[in-house]
Amino acid sequence: EVQLVESGGGLVQPGGSLRLPCAASGFTFSDYYMDWVRQAPGKGLEWVGRIRNKANTYTTEYAASVKGRFTISRDDSKNSLYLQMNSLKTEDTAVYYCARDLGTRGGDYWGQGTLVTVSP
Amino acid sequence: DIQMTQSPSSLSASVGDRVTIACRASQGVRNDLGWYQQKPGKAPKRLIYAASSLESGVPSRFSGSGSGTEFTLTISSLQPEDFATYYCLQHYSYPFTFAQGTRLDIK
């Protein structure tokens, strides 16, 4: 069974940093691209970014709203995905989901999400 | 960036109704489009991929159509568990973009 479990959410002050891990199981993690998606309270879904697999040299893509502040990385030896968030703003307050390869025909899977609150 | 627009933004319907939600892309996305259902407090669940292919395990009352810039999600006969928010997502080009969503509630 495919499982994705995010953690690391919490309250952080504006300008602060936070790192969100996502633990993957039930599939060959190293084969897949991985995505982060967020959802502000009461709002719609926003794609945050993607990291490709080793075969595609772990290259990344980001939404303009987070580019230069957020970094996506992965550790295939630990079946883990990460979202490093720096220079956080109040508008980054959201539930953050990790997802397996959005758009793939093999089925995309999502974690349960972790809430990040950016507030003074 | 490709802008995705759904209509309507909200919809009230009854059990047994046929419902159609439209999604329009600001430029062509081929068939690189998925439809998601989200219930309160839960992660989104994909219903349709490649614009018209039904995800495994999803009831056949859900269907998708379209290509290029115009897409639709149809629920042929609404069931109580279908009341939720629906989103389309284009994954044709970066940045991927979701539409704003359609909230479907009980009339």
Side-chain angles (χ1 to χ4, degrees):
Chain A
E1 179 193 5
V2 172
Q3 282 200 318
L4 297 168
V5 180
E6 306 92 339
S7 59
L11 176 64
V12 61
Q13 292 189 335
S17 298
L18 205 59
R19 187 193 196 206
L20 304 183
C22 168
S25 60
F27 64 103
T28 305
F29 178 74
S30 58
D31 285 348
Y32 286 87
Y33 296 6
M34 296 295 296
D35 295 282
W36 286 97
V37 176
R38 69 182 180 181
Q39 187 169 37
K43 302 297 184 182
L45 300 166
E46 180 186 17
W47 178 81
V48 171
R50 160 172 282 193
I51 186 166
R52 297 179 178 86
N53 56 14
K54 182 179 180 180
N56 290 278
T57 64
Y58 299 129
T59 51
T60 53
E61 305 284 348
Y62 296 96
S65 58
V66 306
K67 195 168 186 178
R69 299 188 299 122
F70 289 13
T71 301
I72 300 173
S73 61
R74 62 193 295 164
D75 185 339
D76 290 347
S77 69
K78 295 182 179 179
N79 289 343
S80 292
L81 174 71
Y82 303 98
L83 180 65
Q84 177 68 44
M85 304 184 292
N86 297 332
S87 303
L88 281 161
K89 306 175 182 180
T90 55
E91 53 262 43
D92 295 319
T93 294
V95 173
Y96 285 75
Y97 297 98
C98 64
R100 190 187 83 170
D101 205 353
L102 290 179
T104 183
R105 292 169 183 253
D108 66 31
Y109 294 87
W110 296 57
Q112 84 289 348
T114 188
L115 176 63
V116 173
T117 303
V118 184
S119 179
Chain B
D1 298 2
I2 297 176
Q3 307 303 316
M4 304 299 292
T5 306
Q6 265 178 249
S7 59
S9 295
S10 63
L11 176 60
S12 293
S14 301
V15 173
D17 283 355
R18 179 183 181 89
V19 166
T20 297
I21 298 170
C23 177
R24 173 175 290 180
S26 61
Q27 54 188 279
V29 298
R30 300 185 310 193
N31 70 336
D32 293 336
L33 182 119
W35 286 98
Y36 291 80
Q37 176 193 67
Q38 187 180 31
K39 296 182 178 179
K42 299 294 186 181
K45 171 188 172 183
R46 192 170 69 177
L47 305 173
I48 301 288
Y49 67 94
S52 60
S53 296
L54 192 67
E55 198 73 51
S56 176
V58 172
S60 59
R61 63 181 179 272
F62 291 94
S63 64
S65 64
S67 183
T69 61
E70 302 286 341
F71 302 88
T72 58
L73 172 71
T74 299
I75 310 172
S76 61
S77 178
L78 273 173
Q79 299 302 301
E81 60 268 28
D82 300 337
F83 292 95
T85 301
Y86 293 84
Y87 297 91
C88 61
L89 164 70
Q90 71 79 20
H91 55 90
Y92 171 73
S93 71
Y94 298 106
F96 294 171
T97 42
F98 290 91
Q100 83 282 9
T102 294
R103 179 174 173 170
L104 175 57
D105 56 27
I106 301 173
K107 184 184 288 184

PDB file of all heavy atoms in Angstrom, chain A residues 19-49:
ATOM      1  N   ARG A  19      11.333  23.045   8.006  1.00  0.00           N
ATOM      2  CA  ARG A  19      11.604  21.951   7.063  1.00  0.00           C
ATOM      3  C   ARG A  19      10.544  20.881   7.259  1.00  0.00           C
ATOM      4  O   ARG A  19      10.327  20.408   8.383  1.00  0.00           O
ATOM      5  CB  ARG A  19      12.984  21.360   7.320  1.00  0.00           C
ATOM      6  CG  ARG A  19      13.425  20.339   6.280  1.00  0.00           C
ATOM      7  CD  ARG A  19      14.631  19.573   6.771  1.00  0.00           C
ATOM      8  NE  ARG A  19      15.328  18.854   5.708  1.00  0.00           N
ATOM      9  CZ  ARG A  19      16.056  17.775   5.917  1.00  0.00           C
ATOM     10  NH1 ARG A  19      16.178  17.261   7.133  1.00  0.00           N
ATOM     11  NH2 ARG A  19      16.685  17.183   4.906  1.00  0.00           N
ATOM     12  N   LEU A  20       9.904  20.516   6.152  1.00  0.00           N
ATOM     13  CA  LEU A  20       8.865  19.498   6.201  1.00  0.00           C
ATOM     14  C   LEU A  20       9.394  18.219   5.572  1.00  0.00           C
ATOM     15  O   LEU A  20       9.745  18.212   4.393  1.00  0.00           O
ATOM     16  CB  LEU A  20       7.621  19.957   5.427  1.00  0.00           C
ATOM     17  CG  LEU A  20       6.985  21.272   5.818  1.00  0.00           C
ATOM     18  CD1 LEU A  20       5.736  21.506   4.980  1.00  0.00           C
ATOM     19  CD2 LEU A  20       6.662  21.319   7.293  1.00  0.00           C
ATOM     20  N   PRO A  21       9.439  17.118   6.319  1.00  0.00           N
ATOM     21  CA  PRO A  21       9.742  15.819   5.718  1.00  0.00           C
ATOM     22  C   PRO A  21       8.449  15.132   5.256  1.00  0.00           C
ATOM     23  O   PRO A  21       7.366  15.398   5.778  1.00  0.00           O
ATOM     24  CB  PRO A  21      10.368  15.028   6.868  1.00  0.00           C
ATOM     25  CG  PRO A  21      10.436  15.964   8.036  1.00  0.00           C
ATOM     26  CD  PRO A  21       9.448  17.058   7.780  1.00  0.00           C
ATOM     27  N   CYS A  22       8.614  14.259   4.294  1.00  0.00           N
ATOM     28  CA  CYS A  22       7.529  13.399   3.847  1.00  0.00           C
ATOM     29  C   CYS A  22       8.117  11.995   3.697  1.00  0.00           C
ATOM     30  O   CYS A  22       9.027  11.780   2.886  1.00  0.00           O
ATOM     31  CB  CYS A  22       6.957  13.884   2.529  1.00  0.00           C
ATOM     32  SG  CYS A  22       5.839  12.725   1.714  1.00  0.00           S
ATOM     33  N   ALA A  23       7.615  11.062   4.508  1.00  0.00           N
ATOM     34  CA  ALA A  23       8.103   9.680   4.471  1.00  0.00           C
ATOM     35  C   ALA A  23       7.238   8.852   3.533  1.00  0.00           C
ATOM     36  O   ALA A  23       6.003   8.851   3.657  1.00  0.00           O
ATOM     37  CB  ALA A  23       8.071   9.087   5.875  1.00  0.00           C
ATOM     38  N   ALA A  24       7.893   8.151   2.621  1.00  0.00           N
ATOM     39  CA  ALA A  24       7.180   7.362   1.610  1.00  0.00           C
ATOM     40  C   ALA A  24       7.385   5.875   1.848  1.00  0.00           C
ATOM     41  O   ALA A  24       8.454   5.440   2.291  1.00  0.00           O
ATOM     42  CB  ALA A  24       7.672   7.741   0.216  1.00  0.00           C
ATOM     43  N   SER A  25       6.358   5.105   1.539  1.00  0.00           N
ATOM     44  CA  SER A  25       6.458   3.648   1.636  1.00  0.00           C
ATOM     45  C   SER A  25       5.464   3.008   0.681  1.00  0.00           C
ATOM     46  O   SER A  25       4.519   3.662   0.223  1.00  0.00           O
ATOM     47  CB  SER A  25       6.198   3.175   3.068  1.00  0.00           C
ATOM     48  OG  SER A  25       4.911   3.564   3.488  1.00  0.00           O
ATOM     49  N   GLY A  26       5.698   1.736   0.381  1.00  0.00           N
ATOM     50  CA  GLY A  26       4.768   0.984  -0.449  1.00  0.00           C
ATOM     51  C   GLY A  26       5.020   1.082  -1.946  1.00  0.00           C
ATOM     52  O   GLY A  26       4.228   0.547  -2.729  1.00  0.00           O
ATOM     53  N   PHE A  27       6.083   1.765  -2.337  1.00  0.00           N
ATOM     54  CA  PHE A  27       6.432   1.854  -3.750  1.00  0.00           C
ATOM     55  C   PHE A  27       7.935   2.153  -3.845  1.00  0.00           C
ATOM     56  O   PHE A  27       8.578   2.485  -2.851  1.00  0.00           O
ATOM     57  CB  PHE A  27       5.611   2.923  -4.484  1.00  0.00           C
ATOM     58  CG  PHE A  27       5.835   4.342  -4.013  1.00  0.00           C
ATOM     59  CD1 PHE A  27       6.623   5.209  -4.743  1.00  0.00           C
ATOM     60  CD2 PHE A  27       5.242   4.811  -2.857  1.00  0.00           C
ATOM     61  CE1 PHE A  27       6.825   6.524  -4.332  1.00  0.00           C
ATOM     62  CE2 PHE A  27       5.432   6.110  -2.419  1.00  0.00           C
ATOM     63  CZ  PHE A  27       6.236   6.973  -3.159  1.00  0.00           C
ATOM     64  N   THR A  28       8.472   2.024  -5.045  1.00  0.00           N
ATOM     65  CA  THR A  28       9.898   2.288  -5.259  1.00  0.00           C
ATOM     66  C   THR A  28      10.087   3.786  -5.394  1.00  0.00           C
ATOM     67  O   THR A  28       9.995   4.364  -6.483  1.00  0.00           O
ATOM     68  CB  THR A  28      10.397   1.542  -6.502  1.00  0.00           C
ATOM     69  OG1 THR A  28      10.095   0.147  -6.377  1.00  0.00           O
ATOM     70  CG2 THR A  28      11.916   1.724  -6.645  1.00  0.00           C
ATOM     71  N   PHE A  29      10.333   4.422  -4.254  1.00  0.00           N
ATOM     72  CA  PHE A  29      10.392   5.880  -4.147  1.00  0.00           C
ATOM     73  C   PHE A  29      11.339   6.488  -5.178  1.00  0.00           C
ATOM     74  O   PHE A  29      11.026   7.485  -5.820  1.00  0.00           O
ATOM     75  CB  PHE A  29      10.819   6.261  -2.729  1.00  0.00           C
ATOM     76  CG  PHE A  29      10.962   7.728  -2.479  1.00  0.00           C
ATOM     77  CD1 PHE A  29       9.846   8.543  -2.359  1.00  0.00           C
ATOM     78  CD2 PHE A  29      12.225   8.303  -2.361  1.00  0.00           C
ATOM     79  CE1 PHE A  29       9.974   9.902  -2.114  1.00  0.00           C
ATOM     80  CE2 PHE A  29      12.371   9.664  -2.116  1.00  0.00           C
ATOM     81  CZ  PHE A  29      11.246  10.465  -1.994  1.00  0.00           C
ATOM     82  N   SER A  30      12.487   5.858  -5.366  1.00  0.00           N
ATOM     83  CA  SER A  30      13.526   6.441  -6.220  1.00  0.00           C
ATOM     84  C   SER A  30      13.100   6.539  -7.680  1.00  0.00           C
ATOM     85  O   SER A  30      13.702   7.293  -8.449  1.00  0.00           O
ATOM     86  CB  SER A  30      14.815   5.622  -6.105  1.00  0.00           C
ATOM     87  OG  SER A  30      14.587   4.278  -6.458  1.00  0.00           O
ATOM     88  N   ASP A  31      12.084   5.807  -8.076  1.00  0.00           N
ATOM     89  CA  ASP A  31      11.650   5.826  -9.471  1.00  0.00           C
ATOM     90  C   ASP A  31      10.801   7.048  -9.826  1.00  0.00           C
ATOM     91  O   ASP A  31      10.631   7.374 -11.002  1.00  0.00           O
ATOM     92  CB  ASP A  31      10.821   4.576  -9.797  1.00  0.00           C
ATOM     93  CG  ASP A  31      11.659   3.326  -9.934  1.00  0.00           C
ATOM     94  OD1 ASP A  31      12.898   3.433 -10.008  1.00  0.00           O
ATOM     95  OD2 ASP A  31      11.051   2.226  -9.970  1.00  0.00           O
ATOM     96  N   TYR A  32      10.221   7.678  -8.810  1.00  0.00           N
ATOM     97  CA  TYR A  32       9.155   8.647  -9.059  1.00  0.00           C
ATOM     98  C   TYR A  32       9.574  10.096  -8.865  1.00  0.00           C
ATOM     99  O   TYR A  32      10.376  10.425  -7.996  1.00  0.00           O
ATOM    100  CB  TYR A  32       7.965   8.366  -8.137  1.00  0.00           C
ATOM    101  CG  TYR A  32       7.186   7.150  -8.549  1.00  0.00           C
ATOM    102  CD1 TYR A  32       7.561   5.878  -8.101  1.00  0.00           C
ATOM    103  CD2 TYR A  32       6.090   7.254  -9.398  1.00  0.00           C
ATOM    104  CE1 TYR A  32       6.867   4.756  -8.495  1.00  0.00           C
ATOM    105  CE2 TYR A  32       5.385   6.135  -9.787  1.00  0.00           C
ATOM    106  CZ  TYR A  32       5.784   4.886  -9.334  1.00  0.00           C
ATOM    107  OH  TYR A  32       5.076   3.774  -9.724  1.00  0.00           O
ATOM    108  N   TYR A  33       8.955  10.978  -9.669  1.00  0.00           N
ATOM    109  CA  TYR A  33       8.946  12.387  -9.373  1.00  0.00           C
ATOM    110  C   TYR A  33       8.046  12.586  -8.148  1.00  0.00           C
ATOM    111  O   TYR A  33       7.104  11.820  -7.924  1.00  0.00           O
ATOM    112  CB  TYR A  33       8.345  13.188 -10.520  1.00  0.00           C
ATOM    113  CG  TYR A  33       9.080  13.174 -11.847  1.00  0.00           C
ATOM    114  CD1 TYR A  33      10.197  12.381 -12.079  1.00  0.00           C
ATOM    115  CD2 TYR A  33       8.638  13.988 -12.871  1.00  0.00           C
ATOM    116  CE1 TYR A  33      10.851  12.392 -13.299  1.00  0.00           C
ATOM    117  CE2 TYR A  33       9.282  14.012 -14.111  1.00  0.00           C
ATOM    118  CZ  TYR A  33      10.377  13.201 -14.311  1.00  0.00           C
ATOM    119  OH  TYR A  33      10.999  13.230 -15.537  1.00  0.00           O
ATOM    120  N   MET A  34       8.323  13.639  -7.401  1.00  0.00           N
ATOM    121  CA  MET A  34       7.507  13.946  -6.224  1.00  0.00           C
ATOM    122  C   MET A  34       7.147  15.432  -6.216  1.00  0.00           C
ATOM    123  O   MET A  34       7.938  16.277  -6.643  1.00  0.00           O
ATOM    124  CB  MET A  34       8.247  13.608  -4.937  1.00  0.00           C
ATOM    125  CG  MET A  34       8.554  12.122  -4.754  1.00  0.00           C
ATOM    126  SD  MET A  34       7.090  11.083  -4.585  1.00  0.00           S
ATOM    127  CE  MET A  34       6.397  11.692  -3.054  1.00  0.00           C
ATOM    128  N   ASP A  35       5.959  15.713  -5.719  1.00  0.00           N
ATOM    129  CA  ASP A  35       5.426  17.073  -5.711  1.00  0.00           C
ATOM    130  C   ASP A  35       5.036  17.525  -4.310  1.00  0.00           C
ATOM    131  O   ASP A  35       4.726  16.699  -3.446  1.00  0.00           O
ATOM    132  CB  ASP A  35       4.167  17.146  -6.592  1.00  0.00           C
ATOM    133  CG  ASP A  35       4.465  16.885  -8.061  1.00  0.00           C
ATOM    134  OD1 ASP A  35       4.962  17.798  -8.727  1.00  0.00           O
ATOM    135  OD2 ASP A  35       4.195  15.760  -8.519  1.00  0.00           O
ATOM    136  N   TRP A  36       5.004  18.836  -4.143  1.00  0.00           N
ATOM    137  CA  TRP A  36       4.402  19.464  -2.965  1.00  0.00           C
ATOM    138  C   TRP A  36       3.250  20.356  -3.446  1.00  0.00           C
ATOM    139  O   TRP A  36       3.392  21.074  -4.447  1.00  0.00           O
ATOM    140  CB  TRP A  36       5.410  20.310  -2.195  1.00  0.00           C
ATOM    141  CG  TRP A  36       6.414  19.525  -1.421  1.00  0.00           C
ATOM    142  CD1 TRP A  36       7.675  19.201  -1.788  1.00  0.00           C
ATOM    143  CD2 TRP A  36       6.231  18.973  -0.108  1.00  0.00           C
ATOM    144  NE1 TRP A  36       8.297  18.471  -0.799  1.00  0.00           N
ATOM    145  CE2 TRP A  36       7.428  18.320   0.248  1.00  0.00           C
ATOM    146  CE3 TRP A  36       5.175  18.963   0.814  1.00  0.00           C
ATOM    147  CZ2 TRP A  36       7.614  17.671   1.476  1.00  0.00           C
ATOM    148  CZ3 TRP A  36       5.351  18.318   2.031  1.00  0.00           C
ATOM    149  CH2 TRP A  36       6.559  17.681   2.348  1.00  0.00           C
ATOM    150  N   VAL A  37       2.147  20.283  -2.720  1.00  0.00           N
ATOM    151  CA  VAL A  37       0.957  21.094  -2.981  1.00  0.00           C
ATOM    152  C   VAL A  37       0.524  21.695  -1.653  1.00  0.00           C
ATOM    153  O   VAL A  37       0.642  21.041  -0.612  1.00  0.00           O
ATOM    154  CB  VAL A  37      -0.177  20.233  -3.577  1.00  0.00           C
ATOM    155  CG1 VAL A  37      -1.461  21.060  -3.755  1.00  0.00           C
ATOM    156  CG2 VAL A  37       0.246  19.619  -4.907  1.00  0.00           C
ATOM    157  N   ARG A  38       0.013  22.907  -1.659  1.00  0.00           N
ATOM    158  CA  ARG A  38      -0.459  23.504  -0.422  1.00  0.00           C
ATOM    159  C   ARG A  38      -1.865  24.044  -0.584  1.00  0.00           C
ATOM    160  O   ARG A  38      -2.345  24.265  -1.700  1.00  0.00           O
ATOM    161  CB  ARG A  38       0.487  24.603   0.056  1.00  0.00           C
ATOM    162  CG  ARG A  38       0.513  25.850  -0.810  1.00  0.00           C
ATOM    163  CD  ARG A  38       1.537  26.845  -0.256  1.00  0.00           C
ATOM    164  NE  ARG A  38       1.604  28.073  -1.056  1.00  0.00           N
ATOM    165  CZ  ARG A  38       2.432  29.068  -0.785  1.00  0.00           C
ATOM    166  NH1 ARG A  38       3.290  28.979   0.238  1.00  0.00           N
ATOM    167  NH2 ARG A  38       2.438  30.138  -1.554  1.00  0.00           N
ATOM    168  N   GLN A  39      -2.499  24.264   0.570  1.00  0.00           N
ATOM    169  CA  GLN A  39      -3.870  24.771   0.598  1.00  0.00           C
ATOM    170  C   GLN A  39      -4.021  25.696   1.787  1.00  0.00           C
ATOM    171  O   GLN A  39      -4.004  25.232   2.934  1.00  0.00           O
ATOM    172  CB  GLN A  39      -4.858  23.618   0.664  1.00  0.00           C
ATOM    173  CG  GLN A  39      -6.302  24.033   0.538  1.00  0.00           C
ATOM    174  CD  GLN A  39      -7.216  22.833   0.343  1.00  0.00           C
ATOM    175  OE1 GLN A  39      -7.005  21.773   0.926  1.00  0.00           O
ATOM    176  NE2 GLN A  39      -8.249  23.002  -0.475  1.00  0.00           N
ATOM    177  N   ALA A  40      -4.152  26.975   1.524  1.00  0.00           N
ATOM    178  CA  ALA A  40      -4.400  27.946   2.590  1.00  0.00           C
ATOM    179  C   ALA A  40      -5.780  27.690   3.195  1.00  0.00           C
ATOM    180  O   ALA A  40      -6.676  27.156   2.511  1.00  0.00           O
ATOM    181  CB  ALA A  40      -4.302  29.360   2.039  1.00  0.00           C
ATOM    182  N   PRO A  41      -5.975  28.053   4.448  1.00  0.00           N
ATOM    183  CA  PRO A  41      -7.265  27.783   5.114  1.00  0.00           C
ATOM    184  C   PRO A  41      -8.446  28.321   4.328  1.00  0.00           C
ATOM    185  O   PRO A  41      -8.487  29.509   3.970  1.00  0.00           O
ATOM    186  CB  PRO A  41      -7.114  28.491   6.459  1.00  0.00           C
ATOM    187  CG  PRO A  41      -5.646  28.523   6.701  1.00  0.00           C
ATOM    188  CD  PRO A  41      -5.009  28.695   5.360  1.00  0.00           C
ATOM    189  N   GLY A  42      -9.382  27.457   4.001  1.00  0.00           N
ATOM    190  CA  GLY A  42     -10.582  27.855   3.286  1.00  0.00           C
ATOM    191  C   GLY A  42     -10.385  28.196   1.819  1.00  0.00           C
ATOM    192  O   GLY A  42     -11.314  28.695   1.173  1.00  0.00           O
ATOM    193  N   LYS A  43      -9.197  27.936   1.298  1.00  0.00           N
ATOM    194  CA  LYS A  43      -8.883  28.293  -0.082  1.00  0.00           C
ATOM    195  C   LYS A  43      -8.652  27.051  -0.944  1.00  0.00           C
ATOM    196  O   LYS A  43      -8.774  25.915  -0.477  1.00  0.00           O
ATOM    197  CB  LYS A  43      -7.625  29.182  -0.111  1.00  0.00           C
ATOM    198  CG  LYS A  43      -7.747  30.453   0.703  1.00  0.00           C
ATOM    199  CD  LYS A  43      -8.841  31.370   0.180  1.00  0.00           C
ATOM    200  CE  LYS A  43      -8.865  32.676   0.958  1.00  0.00           C
ATOM    201  NZ  LYS A  43      -9.973  33.573   0.489  1.00  0.00           N
ATOM    202  N   GLY A  44      -8.301  27.290  -2.218  1.00  0.00           N
ATOM    203  CA  GLY A  44      -8.086  26.194  -3.139  1.00  0.00           C
ATOM    204  C   GLY A  44      -6.672  25.629  -3.071  1.00  0.00           C
ATOM    205  O   GLY A  44      -5.861  26.007  -2.217  1.00  0.00           O
ATOM    206  N   LEU A  45      -6.385  24.723  -3.975  1.00  0.00           N
ATOM    207  CA  LEU A  45      -5.108  24.032  -4.018  1.00  0.00           C
ATOM    208  C   LEU A  45      -4.095  24.824  -4.848  1.00  0.00           C
ATOM    209  O   LEU A  45      -4.436  25.404  -5.878  1.00  0.00           O
ATOM    210  CB  LEU A  45      -5.298  22.644  -4.651  1.00  0.00           C
ATOM    211  CG  LEU A  45      -6.264  21.730  -3.914  1.00  0.00           C
ATOM    212  CD1 LEU A  45      -6.647  20.541  -4.790  1.00  0.00           C
ATOM    213  CD2 LEU A  45      -5.646  21.251  -2.608  1.00  0.00           C
ATOM    214  N   GLU A  46      -2.863  24.833  -4.379  1.00  0.00           N
ATOM    215  CA  GLU A  46      -1.776  25.511  -5.091  1.00  0.00           C
ATOM    216  C   GLU A  46      -0.592  24.557  -5.198  1.00  0.00           C
ATOM    217  O   GLU A  46      -0.073  24.103  -4.174  1.00  0.00           O
ATOM    218  CB  GLU A  46      -1.350  26.802  -4.389  1.00  0.00           C
ATOM    219  CG  GLU A  46      -0.228  27.525  -5.113  1.00  0.00           C
ATOM    220  CD  GLU A  46       0.316  28.728  -4.349  1.00  0.00           C
ATOM    221  OE1 GLU A  46       0.060  28.835  -3.135  1.00  0.00           O
ATOM    222  OE2 GLU A  46       1.007  29.550  -4.962  1.00  0.00           O
ATOM    223  N   TRP A  47      -0.165  24.272  -6.407  1.00  0.00           N
ATOM    224  CA  TRP A  47       1.042  23.470  -6.612  1.00  0.00           C
ATOM    225  C   TRP A  47       2.244  24.294  -6.186  1.00  0.00           C
ATOM    226  O   TRP A  47       2.383  25.468  -6.559  1.00  0.00           O
ATOM    227  CB  TRP A  47       1.124  23.073  -8.078  1.00  0.00           C
ATOM    228  CG  TRP A  47       2.326  22.298  -8.459  1.00  0.00           C
ATOM    229  CD1 TRP A  47       2.537  20.956  -8.286  1.00  0.00           C
ATOM    230  CD2 TRP A  47       3.497  22.793  -9.106  1.00  0.00           C
ATOM    231  NE1 TRP A  47       3.757  20.592  -8.800  1.00  0.00           N
ATOM    232  CE2 TRP A  47       4.375  21.700  -9.303  1.00  0.00           C
ATOM    233  CE3 TRP A  47       3.894  24.049  -9.544  1.00  0.00           C
ATOM    234  CZ2 TRP A  47       5.609  21.851  -9.911  1.00  0.00           C
ATOM    235  CZ3 TRP A  47       5.125  24.199 -10.159  1.00  0.00           C
ATOM    236  CH2 TRP A  47       5.970  23.099 -10.332  1.00  0.00           C
ATOM    237  N   VAL A  48       3.127  23.678  -5.397  1.00  0.00           N
ATOM    238  CA  VAL A  48       4.303  24.377  -4.872  1.00  0.00           C
ATOM    239  C   VAL A  48       5.544  24.071  -5.706  1.00  0.00           C
ATOM    240  O   VAL A  48       6.322  24.969  -6.050  1.00  0.00           O
ATOM    241  CB  VAL A  48       4.542  23.984  -3.403  1.00  0.00           C
ATOM    242  CG1 VAL A  48       5.882  24.507  -2.894  1.00  0.00           C
ATOM    243  CG2 VAL A  48       3.391  24.483  -2.533  1.00  0.00           C
ATOM    244  N   GLY A  49       5.749  22.781  -6.008  1.00  0.00           N
ATOM    245  CA  GLY A  49       6.934  22.438  -6.758  1.00  0.00           C
ATOM    246  C   GLY A  49       7.110  20.944  -6.908  1.00  0.00           C
ATOM    247  O   GLY A  49       6.334  20.145  -6.385  1.00  0.00           O
TER     248      GLY A  49
END
